Amino acid sequence: MDRREVESFFERAATVRALVVGDLMLDEYLWGRAERISPEAPVQVVEVAREDLRLGGAGNVVNNLAALGCRVAVGSVIGTDENGQLLRHALEEKGTDVDGLVEDPERTTSKKTRVIAANQQIVRIDREMRSSIGAASEKALLDYLLTHLREFDVVVVSDYLKGVLTPTLLAALCRKGRELGVPVVVDPKGDDFAKYCGATVLTPNRKEAEVASGIAITDQASLELSAAKILANLELDALLITRSEAGMSLFPARGEAVHIPTVAREVYDVTGAGDTVISVLSLGLACGLTLADAAWVANVAAGIVVGKLGTSTVSPREIIAEVGHSLGDSDSKIKNPDVLVHLVARERARGKKVVFTNGCFDLLHVGHVKYLQKARELGDILVVGLNTDNSVRRLKGEGRPLIEEKERAHILAALGCVDYVVLFDEDTPLALIEALRPAILVKGGDYSVDQVVGRELVESMGGRVALIEFVDGRSTSRIIDKILSSK
């Protein structure tokens, strides 16, 4: 995927409704300095300077999904204690639907306290219960899940082995998901993956896959053997094994494995990286991405989040920037229509004058450059509509274009006078013009005003058409003829 495809993916994310099911907990961070030893015992004394309380466990999946822009609901069981109320309040503050939150007076709400000094954990203190939830709580939660599952686009199961995800609940959830066509994506734990049978995708890390399969993963062959053993009896669509510095490996139930190398980045803390992976992967499936594309974006997100200290999230902007980093500024200017419509609308609301022109721009030459520079001078933002390869072929013949669409787009985007480039597959850019509503529509001087596609629409909105003369004697056709005649 390229930057514009990832941008379009996140545009669709706002319409997704995700249900997170699993073990909720609170993560407390105590940040301070450790500069002396206690006189009472040979331990460090930490002078606490700052305290931070966050959603942890399945709550960090909620955090990640919310940060990615989708609407989130949660299904879980918590206690009626003070930590339970703090947890509920934290979820509600994020706009999370908590109708599926079951309170059980017999349970302790999980809370993990991490003491951090000099950018490292000194100690962790856990308050929790790990026994299975009682029959009444299991029934209440299952009733909610089975009644409301059809309202969601994806279910994310986050298992921390704290007792919420009983075998009975998991079996019913996976079965109902299959029945309704709602993907059920599971971040598993433990040595017995049988309870996840029927899920859509499992996302174990390398160690978890080794434990579940009983096979030490030391090379490519053992990795494939471990994956095959896990897939054999679980009726999954796919298995995604995260492999730390080695990246990820996606094993579909049918088809070839896909190995995704890691994104090189300094690692500060891997806490919560698995939550980021399952969140982005699940959102991708809900938005219609292929498993391979969803896993690829999840890998990019994981590379970002491990560079942050503490349980963290990653934003669409960070992911988009990372995807486009290798291609620099030119990549950031190339947009899909659905993304560009919103960008242009915001600029127009700020009083900016949008100029639109279009063309094939095959073999970019000085005539094109001067034309585009003059077009940019007419307003504040210049959008260039670029014919796709299929569109150019229909217009120019089978021998064209000489340069494929992605290269043409990057060459145009590298020009300082061009603000955005957008590809269109139709013979004319009328649909783009209708969507973007430019103030000024520009075409070459070889057109008359009446011949310009979109003229009536732009003029009806108070805009105008401008014709710009090309540099005399410069054209792609003449360059091609000159090259051919010189042979």
Side-chain angles (χ1 to χ4, degrees), residues 399-476:
R400 302 282 295 275
L402 300 177
I403 301 174
E404 62 96 19
E405 61 192 47
K406 287 188 177 181
E407 290 187 29
R408 287 186 286 124
H410 281 291
I411 292 169
L412 281 171
L415 296 176
C417 59
V418 174
D419 293 285
Y420 296 113
V421 178
V422 57
L423 289 155
F424 65 96
D425 200 44
E426 299 80 13
D427 291 343
T428 76
L430 183 59
L432 262 182
I433 295 167
E434 290 174 343
L436 297 175
R437 299 170 56 213
I440 302 175
L441 189 57
V442 176
K443 286 300 289 184
D446 51 341
Y447 282 78
S448 68
V449 171
D450 291 340
Q451 292 176 314
V452 177
V453 172
R455 173 188 65 83
E456 293 180 353
L457 175 65
V458 170
E459 289 181 345
S460 72
M461 297 184 297
R464 66 184 179 90
V465 171
L467 302 181
I468 296 176
E469 294 293 335
F470 279 109
V471 175
D472 189 39
R474 300 290 182 179
S475 76
T476 299

Side-chain angles (χ1 to χ4, degrees), residues 357-372:
T357 191
N358 66 281
C360 300
F361 296 100
D362 195 17
L363 280 183
L364 193 72
H365 53 73
V366 68
H368 290 136
V369 174
K370 290 188 175 296
Y371 168 81
L372 292 170

Side-chain angles (χ1 to χ4, degrees), residues 99 126 152 469 481:
D99 288 349
D126 290 0
F152 299 96
E469 294 293 335
D481 290 342

